[in-house]
């Protein structure tokens, strides 16, 4: 037997004349915009005044430390991290309730989803803030946490949740954000569960699995694989949506940027810089999720 | 060999089931003794699947009584899992778990339901995989196997729970012709080993070789019950005769 020839190499991908034209057009539009801004807008760009708020030199130790904007970015990252975990847990439970046999649980989860999806986020956040956070947290004793107790005043706590004095503030924003995003995750999870074939449920029941084992070993693993792409998209949305909780004074990136913009009056520099920070953060997570999906895809022998 | 004191494995009496207003099963009476092999046949939509799915309560009946291994089975009952563990089921469309290896498909039941150690369950599973002659595929994923191989894995998965009775719902209907013999072979070996079986199938050769009785269903009722030779050569009812002539015309 002679070995069969390999297929011919595909032609290299080249930019065509049309592509170049398109690029040129976009570049021309951009150049025009820059020219307009320069010509019409008399603006004194002073990037250094804003960049000072990213890092600064500590006058006591002479070391570089994070200033407001970087602190805000860290808080946003913390919110994203814990918010993702919390929203995933709520979304998983609610998403399961959406599909389960109990009518009460179905009504409950459906109501939750519909309420949140049909109220503008801004208004949900205000309602949550005024009624839940400022009424229930104090009742739970969360407003007077002893910030010097060893539970709170340690390196891990500071790393994970930031300044203990701002913890209640952070928690308010976190729960608010998670509750909001979890409504969308709920629907993604529901769709994932319903996409698993009926035969899989039946096979699991037929070998006598309990409901919990059936969900854990058969339904969820298959559902998660299918919903990974929309889930990743929702987590990135969560990072972007976190900006809105600046309205209830949670000291994250957008809130602190507002303060920086006001105190320096360098509005353009501040928001361009903050936009770049958000872009970097979201793009990084999009990249991570894309890699995760690739790996899940490889282990998915279909 | 048969334990004459033990109750029959399956006792169905006056069982009825509706889907909405549609009567899917009506006044079903059937008793299956230990070690007995029953083949169920009948036209499409006659209620064959519904009947065997009632036995492990994948479908709930609404009237009549059902006893499996002497235990009352009621719709919506607690502890139905315990009864399902004694009843193996093989589906037309295999329904293997695609995200687990073949071996893990088999190990899952014994580990989760019987609290068996993983090592012991693997040993048990490999034994059954050898029995269905597919041990060399243990580490593959189901979608990588042919239909016939998948169905044999599905049989092994059911056997891994060491059930008292096996239900088969048209196990060869979704298979390419050249795959059918392998699956029927495995089922015949199982029958020879003394397993109690209820098989929905139109494989007449299999029914003749294996069945103690053939149950013929039409429009949700049991129309005729007879030994296979008698049923295939001289059906007593017109409906059965008509069904058989259509089957042979293929
Ligand atoms: N989930 C269901 N809802 C409504 N009707 C059903 C359902 N399952 C089966 N049926 C109907 O019940 C009858 C018997 O179905 P089935 O037991 O699958 O027949 P068979 O297996 O003999 O082909 C058919 O007419 C079918 O359309
Ligand atoms: Mg059927």
């Amino acid at each position: 037997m002679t070995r069969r020839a390999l297929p011919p190499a595909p032609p290299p991908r080249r930019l065509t004349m049309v592509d170049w034209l398109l690029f040129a057009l976009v570049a021309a539009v951009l150049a025009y915009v820059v020219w307009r801004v320069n010509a019409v807008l008399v603006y004194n760009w002073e990037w250094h005044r804003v960049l000072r708020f990213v890092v600064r030199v500590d006058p006591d130790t002479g070391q570089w430390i994070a200033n407001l904007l970087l602190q805000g970015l860290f808080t946003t990252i913390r919110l994203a991290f814990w918010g993702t975990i919390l929203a995933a847990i709520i979304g998983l439970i609610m998403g399961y309730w959406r599909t389960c046999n109990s009518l009460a649980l179905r009504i409950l989860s459906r109501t939750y989803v519909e309420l949140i999806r049909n109220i503008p986020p801004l208004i949900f956040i205000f309602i949550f803030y005024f009624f839940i956070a400022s009424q229930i947290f104090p009742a739970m004793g969360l407003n007077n946490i002893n910030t010097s107790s060893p539970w709170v005043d340690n390196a891990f706590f500071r790393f994970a949740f930031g300044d203990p004095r701002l913890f209640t503030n952070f928690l308010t924003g976190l729960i608010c954000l998670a509750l909001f995003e979890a409504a969308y995750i709920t629907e993604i999870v529901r769709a994932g569960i319903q996409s698993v074939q009926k035969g899989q449920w039946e096979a699991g029941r037929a070998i006598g699995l309990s409901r919990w084992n059936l969900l854990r070993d058969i339904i969820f693993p298959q559902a998660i694989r299918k919903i990974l792409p929309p889930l990743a998209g929702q987590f990135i949305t969560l990072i972007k949506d976190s900006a809105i909780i600046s309205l209830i004074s949670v000291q994250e990136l957008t809130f602190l940027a507002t303060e920086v913009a006001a105190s320096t009056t360098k509005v353009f520099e501040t928001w361009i810089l903050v936009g770049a920070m958000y872009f970097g953060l979201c793009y990084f997570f999009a990249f991570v999720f894309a890699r995760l999906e690739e790996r899940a895809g490889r282990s998915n022998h279909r | 060999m048969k334990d004459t004191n033990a109750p029959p494995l399956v006792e169905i009496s006056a069982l009825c089931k509706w889907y909405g207003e549609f009567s899917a099963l009506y006044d079903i009476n059937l008793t299956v003794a230990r070690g007995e092999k029953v083949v169920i046949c009948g036209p499409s939509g006659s209620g064959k699947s519904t009947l065997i799915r009632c036995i492990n309560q994948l479908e709930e009946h609404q009237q009549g009584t059902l006893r499996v291994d002497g235990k009352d089975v009621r719709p919506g009952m607690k502890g139905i899992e315990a009864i399902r563990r004694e009843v193996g089921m093989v589906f037309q469309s295999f329904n293997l778990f695609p995200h687990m290896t073949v071996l893990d498909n088999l190990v899952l039941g014994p580990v989760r339901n019987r609290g068996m150690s993983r090592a012991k369950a693997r040993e048990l599973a490999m034994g059954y995989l050898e029995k269905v002659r597919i041990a060399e595929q243990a580490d593959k994923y189901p979608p990588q196997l042919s239909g016939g191989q998948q169905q044999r894995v599905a049989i092994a998965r059911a056997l891994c729970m060491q059930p008292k009775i096996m239900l088969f719902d048209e196990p060869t209907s979704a298979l390419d012709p050249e795959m059918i013999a392998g699956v029927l072979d495995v089922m015949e070996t199982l029958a020879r080993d003394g397993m109690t079986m209820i098989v929905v199938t139109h494989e007449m050769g299999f029914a003749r070789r294996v069945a103690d009785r053939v149950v013929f269903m039409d429009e949700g009722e049991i129309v005729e019950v007879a030994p296979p030779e008698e049923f295939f050569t001289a059906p007593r009812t017109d409906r059965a005769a008509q069904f058989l002539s259509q089957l042979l015309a293929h």
Side-chain angles (χ1 to χ4, degrees):
Chain A
M1 277 274 205
T2 53
R3 274 189 59 198
R4 292 195 200 179
L6 292 167
R13 238 190 268 182
R14 284 224 178 81
L15 291 169
T16 65
M17 196 63 184
V18 181
D19 295 323
W20 284 115
L21 261 170
L22 221 67
F23 281 147
L25 201 71
V26 172
V29 171
L30 278 177
Y32 175 75
V33 169
V34 170
W35 175 78
R36 276 295 290 186
V37 168
N38 263 327
V40 177
L41 187 90
V42 183
Y43 187 78
N44 186 19
W45 293 89
E46 287 181 299
W47 283 96
H48 63 277
R49 286 183 56 198
V50 171
L51 286 171
R52 268 210 312 262
F53 284 94
V54 178
V55 284
R56 68 183 169 96
V57 179
D58 188 338
D60 299 335
T61 60
Q63 278 177 333
W64 290 97
I65 55 164
N67 204 350
L68 286 184
L69 290 179
L70 203 52
Q71 286 170 11
L73 182 66
F74 289 155
T75 303
T76 292
I77 293 173
R78 289 186 188 105
L79 278 171
F81 179 77
W82 295 113
T84 296
I85 292 176
L86 199 58
I89 294 171
I90 300 172
L92 207 63
I93 295 172
M94 288 284 172
Y96 167 62
W97 284 3
R98 289 281 276 122
T99 65
C100 80
N101 287 332
S102 153
L103 185 62
L105 292 181
R106 282 209 309 273
I107 290 175
L108 208 78
S109 50
R110 177 81 193 269
T111 309
Y112 164 68
V113 168
E114 296 299 351
L115 262 181
I116 287 191
R117 283 205 309 189
N118 294 297
I119 295 176
L122 192 62
I123 301 188
F124 167 74
I125 282 163
F126 281 141
I127 292 175
F128 175 85
Y129 182 65
F130 291 131
F131 292 98
I132 316 278
S134 53
Q135 303 303 319
I136 295 181
F137 281 9
M140 286 164 58
L142 272 170
N143 276 20
N144 35 25
I145 296 178
N146 179 3
T147 50
S148 56
S149 96
W151 286 106
V152 171
D153 196 16
N154 60 51
F156 171 76
F157 190 93
R158 280 171 185 279
F159 178 73
F161 304 108
D163 189 340
R165 280 167 303 173
L166 291 175
F167 182 64
T168 315
N169 176 278
F170 177 81
L171 198 64
T172 309
L174 175 66
I175 293 176
C176 187
L177 186 63
L179 275 178
F180 184 73
E181 298 298 326
Y184 295 88
I185 295 177
T186 297
E187 285 305 279
I188 296 174
V189 170
R190 177 189 60 79
I193 290 174
Q194 286 175 345
S195 76
V196 178
Q197 281 170 19
K198 213 171 117 245
Q200 295 290 309
W201 292 87
E202 290 180 349
R205 282 155 71 201
I207 56 172
L209 289 180
S210 68
R211 199 170 168 81
W212 165 240
N213 283 334
L214 178 56
L215 286 170
R216 179 181 58 169
D217 295 329
I218 295 167
I219 305 305
F220 279 149
Q222 294 186 60
I224 293 287
R225 268 161 226 235
K226 286 191 187 149
I227 62 178
L228 217 50
L231 218 47
Q234 194 58 45
F235 288 141
I236 288 169
T237 305
L238 180 146
I239 300 176
K240 288 184 287 177
D241 285 354
S242 72
I244 206 170
I245 56 172
S246 63
L247 287 163
I248 50 172
S249 310
V250 177
Q251 314 234 331
E252 45 65 77
L253 185 52
T254 300
F255 180 83
L256 293 176
T258 316
E259 299 206 322
V260 169
S263 70
T264 59
T265 68
K266 294 283 105 181
V267 178
F268 293 172
E269 290 91 333
T270 308
W271 291 116
I272 290 173
L273 183 66
V274 167
M277 284 174 154
Y278 274 114
F279 177 84
L281 190 60
C282 292
Y283 197 77
F284 169 76
F285 277 107
F287 175 79
V288 170
F289 285 132
R291 294 296 298 271
L292 278 178
E293 269 166 44
E294 236 172 68
R295 276 182 46 188
R298 245 185 280 134
S299 64
N300 202 358
H301 295 261
R302 268 166 202 274
Chain B
M1 284 289 280
K2 275 183 202 164
D3 182 355
T4 42
N5 288 329
L9 260 178
V10 177
E11 296 171 84
I12 302 169
S13 68
L15 183 136
C16 301
K17 167 156 186 80
W18 290 264
Y19 287 113
E21 305 246 292
F22 174 76
S23 160
L25 294 175
Y26 188 74
D27 193 24
I28 301 286
N29 295 283
L30 182 68
T31 301
V32 180
R34 267 155 222 273
E36 198 181 10
K37 287 92 182 127
V38 173
V39 160
I40 302 179
C41 63
S44 171
S46 57
K48 309 178 295 291
S49 299
T50 308
L51 175 57
I52 66 167
R53 288 157 61 87
C54 279
I55 295 173
N56 65 355
Q57 290 290 291
L58 290 186
E59 300 290 349
E60 296 181 347
H61 58 284
Q62 286 134 335
Q63 273 181 22
T65 59
L66 168 63
R67 258 196 289 278
V68 174
D69 195 20
K71 292 177 206 79
D72 261 314
V73 177
R74 271 184 296 270
M77 71 187 281
K78 264 212 173 115
I80 185 64
E81 288 86 4
I83 285 162
R84 286 183 181 143
R85 286 165 201 167
E86 309 296 334
V87 181
M89 183 171 239
V90 175
F91 301 87
Q92 184 176 343
S93 49
F94 330 134
N95 295 348
L96 293 175
F97 308 130
H99 60 298
M100 297 179 179
T101 63
V102 164
L103 191 62
D104 287 340
N105 264 272
L106 271 67
V107 162
L108 184 68
V111 167
R112 289 282 184 248
N113 299 335
R114 306 245 192 253
M116 197 180 277
S117 76
R118 212 153 250 286
K120 246 192 116 203
R122 272 167 192 271
E123 213 174 286
L124 179 80
M126 284 312 291
Y128 283 115
L129 282 179
E130 258 153 44
K131 202 162 175 175
V132 301
R133 295 187 294 279
I134 211 157
E136 69 283 359
Q137 315 281 5
D139 294 323
K140 288 202 180 161
Y141 285 83
Q144 297 173 301
L145 306 183
S146 74
Q149 289 172 323
Q150 288 191 50
Q151 194 58 300
R152 282 183 280 151
V153 172
I155 294 172
R157 178 178 67 184
L159 290 175
C160 252
M161 285 306 295
Q162 298 173 297
K164 297 197 167 123
I165 178 171
M166 288 281 286
L167 311 174
F168 294 84
D169 192 356
E170 305 206 34
T172 57
S173 301
L175 299 180
D176 294 333
E178 71 270 22
M179 304 282 176
I180 293 177
V183 171
L184 291 180
D185 234 36
V186 165
M187 290 167 64
E188 281 186 53
T189 314
L190 198 58
R192 245 177 282 126
D193 292 349
M195 177 60 78
T196 310
M197 294 162 61
I198 302 180
V199 185
V200 175
T201 185
H202 294 152
E203 293 289 336
M204 278 166 41
F206 173 83
R208 282 194 142 109
R209 286 190 301 273
V210 171
D212 297 310
R213 282 186 293 162
V214 175
V215 171
F216 173 71
M217 291 183 69
D218 195 15
E219 295 183 352
E221 294 182 57
I222 293 181
V223 176
E224 185 168 342
V225 182
E229 215 51 51
E230 198 180 311
F231 178 76
F232 289 120
T233 50
R236 269 173 280 139
T237 57
D238 288 346
R239 281 200 270 183
Q242 199 186 349
F243 170 73
L244 284 172
S245 69
Q246 274 167 3
L247 204 60
L248 288 170
H250 274 292

